[in-house]
């Protein structure tokens, strides 16, 4: 349940409403500020909740399907999300609670296992030659896109990839540190010991970075380095992880679980918003049995949520030869962006299977240009609903 409070309600009054709504020992309630509005989130059996008769209460927002904040009509889910530092003087649209700074020099993370050797490189907004790291909007007029390897491996290869995709016009580098693999014998990613490498690649190539996180205990340290935190589809139901991401001042790229319905997916996004972070981007890919590219999900989400939607043509097809047609189809369906696997030397990857997904970096700009033309053509031919 959500209780919306009147504009101008003080934090003290919101805390009082939350305390009264959560009086029962099996109910938890907390205040939530999103998009300039103030709510009280109530978690528990609604029959145990007594909505206080406070003058601060504006409306009760029922949540029978488990997601109200992400709905288009709620006015809380942003249509645009900025990944990376915003232009000077312009606050990142869709970003979590206002006033939070862009990624900065990493502080000492809370330990959750063996600490990496050394510390992450200082987080600045400049490259080696003073080239600034610029963020870009997902959900705007232009097609947003990121490219890079599924998993970050050597610093040399990652930096070469970052510079190659940036030269093609990429808005961000994708490079996973924590990999939820289908086999326990596949490379699981560098984990926390890769944070220093990721920070150095971001600085040297002057490009925003996106990386995966799987464990709630790793979120804070990873958020100090990454511009966007990715949730793999296999982690979509990791509720403690989603709640922790909701407390971070970083955009979240939420992938759909292989067998998840649209409602399941939207409820997962709601977990992030309900903890204070509405900078969520949904990432569609393959779904069903056998897993097939879920282009229809892009159009279906348009009618249900304002959150931007991107598409992963690499994991959804698992073939570099199919990345182009899948990307064009996603663009025709109205995707706001693409998340593409790319690497100049895929033969050097630790897991040979990853190499099969890698789209050649030198062809990325041509692919994205074709996708933008396709998206524009589809919009021009669209029949009004």
């Amino acid at each position: 349940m959500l209780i919306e409070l009147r504009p101008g309600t003080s934090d003290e009054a919101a805390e009082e409403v939350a305390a009264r709504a959560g009086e029962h020992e099996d109910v938890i309630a907390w205040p939530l500020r999103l998009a300039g509005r103030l709510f009280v989130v109530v978690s528990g059996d609604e029959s145990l909740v007594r909505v206080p008769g406070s003058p601060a209460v504006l409306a009760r927002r029922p949540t029978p399907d488990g997601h109200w904040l992400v709905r288009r009509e709620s006015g809380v889910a942003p249509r645009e999300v900025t990944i990376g530092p915003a232009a000077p003087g312009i606050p990142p649209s869709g970003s979590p609670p206002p006033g939070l700074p862009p990624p900065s020099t990493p502080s000492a993370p809370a330990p959750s296992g063996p600490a990496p050797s050394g510390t992450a490189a200082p987080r600045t907004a400049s490259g080696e030659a003073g080239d600034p790291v610029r963020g870009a909007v997902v959900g705007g007029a232009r097609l947003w896109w990121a490219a890079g390897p599924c998993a970050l491996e050597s610093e040399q290869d990652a930096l070469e990839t970052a510079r190659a995709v940036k030269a093609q016009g990429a808005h961000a580098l994708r490079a996973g540190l924590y990999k939820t693999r289908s086999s326990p014998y596949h490379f699981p990613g560098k984990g926390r010991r890769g944070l220093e490498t990721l920070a150095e690649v971001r600085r040297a190539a002057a490009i925003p970075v996106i990386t995966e996180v799987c464990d709630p205990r790793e979120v804070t340290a990873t958020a100090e380095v990454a511009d966007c935190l990715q949730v793999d589809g296999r982690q979509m139901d990791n509720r403690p992880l989603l709640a922790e991401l909701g407390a971070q001042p970083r955009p979240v790229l939420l992938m759909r679980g292989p067998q998840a319905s649209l409602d399941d997916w939207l409820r997962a996004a709601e977990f992030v918003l309900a903890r204070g972070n509405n900078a969520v981007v949904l990432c569609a890919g393959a779904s069903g049995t056998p897993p097939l590219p879920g282009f229809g999900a892009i159009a279906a989400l348009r009618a249900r949520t304002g959150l931007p939607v991107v598409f992963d043509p690499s994991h959804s097809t698992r073939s570099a030869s199919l990345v182009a047609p899948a990307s064009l189809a996603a663009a025709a369906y109205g995707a706001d962006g693409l998340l593409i696997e790319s690497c100049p030397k895929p033969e050097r990857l630790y897991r040979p299977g990853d190499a099969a997904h890698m789209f050649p970096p030198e062809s990325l700009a041509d692919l994205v240009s074709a996708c933008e033309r396709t998206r524009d053509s589809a919009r021009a031919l669209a029949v009004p609903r």
Side-chain angles (χ1 to χ4, degrees), residues 2-35:
L2 287 162
I3 302 171
E4 185 164 5
L5 305 183
R6 297 184 185 281
T9 298
S10 67
D11 289 343
E12 293 76 11
E15 291 284 0
E16 181 181 345
V17 172
R20 292 171 62 188
E23 284 180 346
H24 193 281
E25 63 179 358
D26 294 328
V27 175
I28 303 171
W30 63 91
L32 171 70
R33 285 192 182 274
L34 275 182

Side-chain angles (χ1 to χ4, degrees), residues 36-61:
R37 293 158 69 180
L38 184 56
F39 302 88
V40 168
V41 181
V42 184
S43 178
D45 187 340
E46 292 193 10
S47 67
L48 303 176
V49 179
R50 298 291 179 267
V51 177
S54 167
V57 174
L58 175 64
R60 172 175 169 169
R61 307 295 186 190

Side-chain angles (χ1 to χ4, degrees), residues 191-362:
R192 187 179 286 203
R193 62 191 172 91
L195 289 174
E196 183 177 354
T197 298
L198 189 65
E200 175 58 24
V201 169
R202 180 193 187 273
R203 184 192 68 81
I207 188 172
V209 296
I210 300 171
T211 195
E212 290 183 34
V213 63
C214 303
D215 190 326
R217 296 168 298 180
E218 303 294 347
V219 168
T220 300
T222 308
E224 291 284 0
V225 172
D227 294 276
C228 179
L229 302 176
Q230 178 181 332
V231 179
D232 180 79
R234 298 184 185 95
Q235 295 292 330
M236 194 198 79
D237 290 324
N238 187 339
R239 302 317 197 196
L241 172 63
L242 299 177
E244 186 64 29
L245 290 168
Q248 293 296 325
R250 299 291 171 264
V252 174
L253 184 72
L254 180 61
M255 307 189 86
R256 182 184 185 183
Q259 303 299 326
S261 68
L262 292 186
D263 280 321
D264 294 334
W265 196 7
L266 291 173
R267 277 190 287 270
E270 189 90 356
F271 265 84
V272 181
L273 271 74
R275 291 293 178 174
N277 185 353
N278 71 337
V280 174
V281 177
L282 301 174
C283 184
S287 60
T289 304
L292 297 172
F295 304 118
I298 301 170
L301 287 171
R302 281 280 172 268
R304 303 185 64 177
T305 180
L307 295 174
V309 185
V310 302
F311 186 77
D312 183 341
S314 302
H315 279 107
S316 61
T317 63
R318 300 193 175 279
S319 171
S321 65
L322 296 177
V323 165
S327 298
L328 291 165
Y333 271 91
D336 295 301
L338 299 168
L339 189 69
I340 305 170
E341 287 196 37
S342 184
C343 179
K345 296 182 175 67
E347 69 278 1
R348 296 196 336 209
L349 296 175
Y350 295 151
R351 180 170 178 259
D354 287 349
H357 311 168
M358 299 295 156
F359 193 77
E362 63 272 16

